[in-house]
Amino acid sequence: MLVRFNLNGEEIESEVRDDERALDFLRRIGMKSVKEGCGEGECGACTIIVNGRNVVSCLMLAPELDGTEVWTTEGLSFKNELDPIQKAFVDEGAIQCGFCTPGMVMSAKALLMKNPQPTVEEIKKGMEGNLCRCTGYFKIIEAVKKAADEN
Amino acid sequence: MGTFTKKRDYSVIGKEIPRVDSLVKVKGKAKFVADFDMKDMLYGALVLSKRARGRVKKIDVSKASSLKGVRAILTYEDIPGENQIGEVVNDMPCLVPVGEEVRYYGDVISLVAADSLEIAKEAVKLVKVEYEDLEPVLTIEKALKNEVKIHPSGNILTSKKIRKGNVEKGFFESDFVIEDDFYAHYQEQAYLEPQGILSLYDNNYGITIYGSMQCPYYVQEMVPKVLGMSMHSVRVIQAETGGAFGGKEDVPSYVASQCALLTYHTKKPVLLVYSREVDIQTTSKRHPIKSHYKLGVTEDGKIKAVEITAHMDMGAYATLSPIVMYRSLVHAAGAYDIENVKVDIDGVYTNKVPCGAFRGFGSPQVLFAMESIVDEAAEKLRMDPMDIRLKNALRIGSRTSTDQLLTESVGAVKTIEHAMEISNYAELKKEMAAFNLENKFKKRGIGVSHIIYGISLGAAGQHLDAAGSLVQVHRDGSVNIHIGNTEMGQGAKTVIAMIASEALGQSIEKIRVDNPDTSYVQDSGPTVASRATVFSGNAVKKACEKIKARMEEYFSKTRNVSVEEIVFKNGAIKTVDNKHKILFDSLANECYNSNTKMVERGWFVSPKLRWNSETGLGEAYITYAYATQVVVAEVDMLTGKSQVIEAYTSHDVGKKLNPVGLVGQVQGGFVQGMGYGLFEEIKTTDGRITTDNFNTYIIPTISDIPQKLKIDFVEDAYSQGPFGAKGIGEPSLMPVPASIANAISNAVRKRVKRIPATAEYVFNIIEEVIK
């Protein structure tokens, strides 16, 4: 079927299969920041923002993208200018292997869009769906706090 | 730019520097192997054994072959080279032949390549395998009976021992002798990026492999064997690697062999990425280890003797087990100066998933046991756990459990002192007592652990313990660094760039550390054993110093100044009197114009170790890292569920090169160790792993971490390390399961003898107390 949606600020029109996962479709059209870590909605590596909410794209079908506004990490840094949340991840050393990073950044972004000044508990709640095996999360919390402070 | 002096004030080393690869990663542009798109690329999938043990009677691929879009279905008959493979022992078939046994649920029987992943998966379902059912061996106990032999040679592959002093005499001289049994379960590495390889074919050059891996040279050795090719026809390039933790040490060699076979037969690019389920079911884990400890102490807390027997569950194939066992052996008696030590460890085959490398390589299991029995001794003596550790700690002039004389860089005692200081230990004990008085159903405990960790591959791996580098300064001053060790998230590229920047005097922004490519640098051994900083670091430092010397010589001749007057720093070169100055980039250009050689190789070989494998005595590792940790755990007495409230940890790292990276390693290692200590549980049914994704194999989330983790570093320089550094990758995890187990034991007043100390396990030991 044909889906029309807004991807990273641009209108997109594309043919998708009915049973195609949003994850596979987005990767197929070049959004390689959307990673597959588990395929069951547990790890959060495929997190994207759909209509302002963080969503795991492995549990979403591509046809469901129709009519939505979607953001992936590719759309965050405009003309090489990092989004404040990306900058905070770099500055705070919240990145190690980098595989969870795009999904983590999208969850943080969605959190700050809803709640610009989250408490540590709210950060934990908002990021609970994103697994990281490298950092132990401490610096990720610091990064989200820093981005919030600069909001 | 700072002042220009000749003295040792480092401009990059020890400074807070952002990771060199953070920009590309935060933008989502880092290229992991699944992100490669090649023209005409095929997708690979595996046909796996559905039995823990059985004989393959027939493999019928006819239905699968006729599926549209299937390009190849391979069995053992399609292997042009050797089918029998293994990193240490050749006991594993690449593809299980008809007539042979499958030895675990997950043995690979056939390989499929198809136009899409969906078709490949469909074809896998259509391959029919007939088995003759055979009785599996699923426990260490059953394996030891040797009634059913998993391999023709029997179920104990190898045994290792230490014989230091005379334990009988030691126990005789002791006032108390304490004995106990311990069990440490599996742990899954759970790197976020699953195993993956892309292989390409070129008529002139052979096979090129890109992949997620720790050890490109292992891959470059195994793939040609399986394909019946020479090593010069297989080039291996590491792709961005999304976490590894040991799980990508030898496993990628198998994944690459499977993938390369499909490319060999189709002559097309093939991408083989494991699903999470296949990854967890088939790839190596941390070994389960059962151990019996017997410890003799005098009244005043001096450990006189320790006797240890341990059995490791290797699973169906040896993979890296014999060398993992070496590390278990050396670390079994912990971080103490003990006169009499006897250790016996056996590696035992079972019909389960093969176990292998995982951060710590066989040592967290035995360190947990040793730290537990030391705590039991302290309880018996009514001694504080810190005091007994301090009393027996290693110092300069001490001898380790393998009788290795320690002559430098022994920060052990300092880590104990620092851990007590940063945790405000005496006060913490009071706070906890007060908490426990006020709370009936929640109890808190303090746990302490003190560990040692051998840096380098050690005496058992000396033949691999060297590393190379290739450094090229270009005309514009930019620098390429090729090394043989890999970045997998731990920060190797950043620390290497820092070392190069310091050694060359070029600013770090101009330095690029490239992903390892087997065609540039000689086999540099594996990226394991917390060795990359010391080995590749030294190799890079040497190459950089050679180039810098040449640039100095040129500068000195052309400016008519002595070499002693020249200072290279942060991208500029000046004379001490400030008369002459030039940018590094401009000097590089001048050097080019005068035909100066601006490319160099570095090669670092570890100091040679003397080792006697008959007695298990000698120099086990080139040096050791030490750590001490204090953990406060809280136990829900009604459910047994435990959590870490706060933790304090002090690590002797020799010299802090990259403070941000060090803290990141310690934080990540802590949380990974905490998962092992508390709740990461591999469950099996009839030998099949049932916890094969993150909904059943639970790793720590952001909500599980302690409220506080205070980190301290002791800097007791190691003369052979670059700028004095030792490693940190693994030592970060080593004290954690032990300190958590001790904290829970302290909270519930009953000894935790098993990790992970799951809610179910802790609930059961609490119940025993009440009974």
Side-chain angles (χ1 to χ4, degrees), chain B residues 66-118:
Chain B
S66 58
L67 195 66
K68 189 166 176 281
V70 170
R71 302 292 164 182
I73 302 186
L74 310 179
T75 66
Y76 69 102
E77 290 176 315
D78 302 304
I79 293 178
E82 295 168 27
N83 188 27
Q84 207 58 20
I85 53 177
E87 206 53 63
V88 183
V89 182
N90 284 332
D91 63 352
M92 181 168 126
C94 180
L95 299 174
V96 182
V98 168
E100 296 287 323
E101 284 181 24
V102 292
R103 293 189 176 87
Y104 80 108
Y105 191 103
D107 246 331
V108 186
I109 295 169
S110 174
L111 307 169
V112 176
D115 291 343
S116 74
L117 186 59
E118 290 75 20

Side-chain angles (χ1 to χ4, degrees), chain B residues 185-203:
Chain B
H185 197 48
Y186 290 105
Q187 188 182 17
E188 157 64 32
Q189 292 86 355
Y191 31 71
L192 261 279
E193 181 213 18
Q195 301 280 349
I197 296 284
L198 168 72
S199 61
L200 312 176
Y201 179 79
D202 183 290
N203 216 8

Side-chain angles (χ1 to χ4, degrees), chain A residues 27 32 35 37-38 40 42 73 80 82 86 90 95-97 99 124 128 133-139 141, chain B residues 19 25-27 34-35 37 188-190 242-243 276-277 489 664 668 672 680 693 695 700-703:
Chain A
R27 287 182 59 82
K32 301 284 192 191
K35 305 293 181 200
C38 74
E40 291 202 343
E42 293 289 335
T73 304
N80 255 346
L82 293 183
Q86 289 175 304
V90 172
I95 302 160
Q96 286 190 25
C97 84
F99 194 78
K124 287 184 177 177
E128 214 172 23
R133 192 59 156 170
C134 297
T135 64
Y137 305 105
F138 294 93
K139 289 180 188 286
I141 295 174
Chain B
R19 280 184 78 99
K25 285 177 173 174
V26 86
K27 289 181 182 173
D35 303 335
D37 268 328
E188 157 64 32
Q189 292 86 355
R276 182 60 60 183
E277 288 81 4
Q672 196 170 49
E680 290 185 27
N693 206 324
N695 49 0
T701 71
I702 199 166
S703 295

Side-chain angles (χ1 to χ4, degrees), chain B residues 351-428:
Chain B
N351 286 118
K352 290 184 295 183
V353 66
C355 291
F358 189 162
R359 200 179 201 168
F361 215 63
S363 68
Q365 302 98 312
V366 287
L367 287 169
F368 145 70
M370 182 65 189
E371 287 303 283
S372 298
I373 198 108
V374 167
D375 253 26
E376 287 190 52
E379 277 165 32
K380 186 97 186 165
L381 297 167
R382 296 181 187 279
M383 225 176 146
D384 186 274
M386 283 294 190
D387 292 339
I388 195 169
R389 287 172 172 85
L390 209 46
K391 175 125 195 147
N392 294 284
L394 294 163
R395 294 167 165 83
I396 300 280
S398 298
R399 289 182 176 272
T400 66
S401 63
T402 69
D403 209 35
Q404 178 171 355
L405 179 67
L406 299 174
T407 54
E408 63 158 335
S409 190
V410 188
V413 169
K414 275 191 202 153
T415 67
I416 298 178
E417 290 165 357
H418 288 202
M420 289 177 77
E421 206 176 297
I422 61 169
S423 64
N424 209 347
Y425 187 63
E427 209 45 46
L428 198 65

Side-chain angles (χ1 to χ4, degrees), chain B residues 2-123:
Chain B
T3 50
F4 275 77
T5 56
K6 264 299 201 187
K7 68 178 207 289
R8 274 266 154 131
D9 52 341
Y10 296 129
S11 50
V12 196
I13 294 298
K15 300 286 189 302
E16 304 224 337
I17 301 248
R19 280 184 78 99
V20 295
D21 53 357
S22 55
L23 266 188
V24 67
K25 285 177 173 174
V26 86
K27 289 181 182 173
K29 288 184 177 162
K31 212 166 172 185
F32 296 89
V33 70
D35 303 335
F36 284 73
D37 268 328
M38 310 297 290
K39 193 171 173 289
D40 296 332
M41 186 168 82
L42 304 178
Y43 295 81
L46 312 178
V47 177
L48 301 175
S49 159
K50 301 289 179 198
R51 301 281 189 287
R53 184 164 173 256
R55 193 173 306 284
V56 178
K57 285 167 66 181
K58 195 176 167 197
I59 308 167
D60 180 3
V61 302
S62 56
K63 245 189 173 166
S65 311
S66 58
L67 195 66
K68 189 166 176 281
V70 170
R71 302 292 164 182
I73 302 186
L74 310 179
T75 66
Y76 69 102
E77 290 176 315
D78 302 304
I79 293 178
E82 295 168 27
N83 188 27
Q84 207 58 20
I85 53 177
E87 206 53 63
V88 183
V89 182
N90 284 332
D91 63 352
M92 181 168 126
C94 180
L95 299 174
V96 182
V98 168
E100 296 287 323
E101 284 181 24
V102 292
R103 293 189 176 87
Y104 80 108
Y105 191 103
D107 246 331
V108 186
I109 295 169
S110 174
L111 307 169
V112 176
D115 291 343
S116 74
L117 186 59
E118 290 75 20
I119 298 170
K121 282 183 181 168
E122 197 52 41

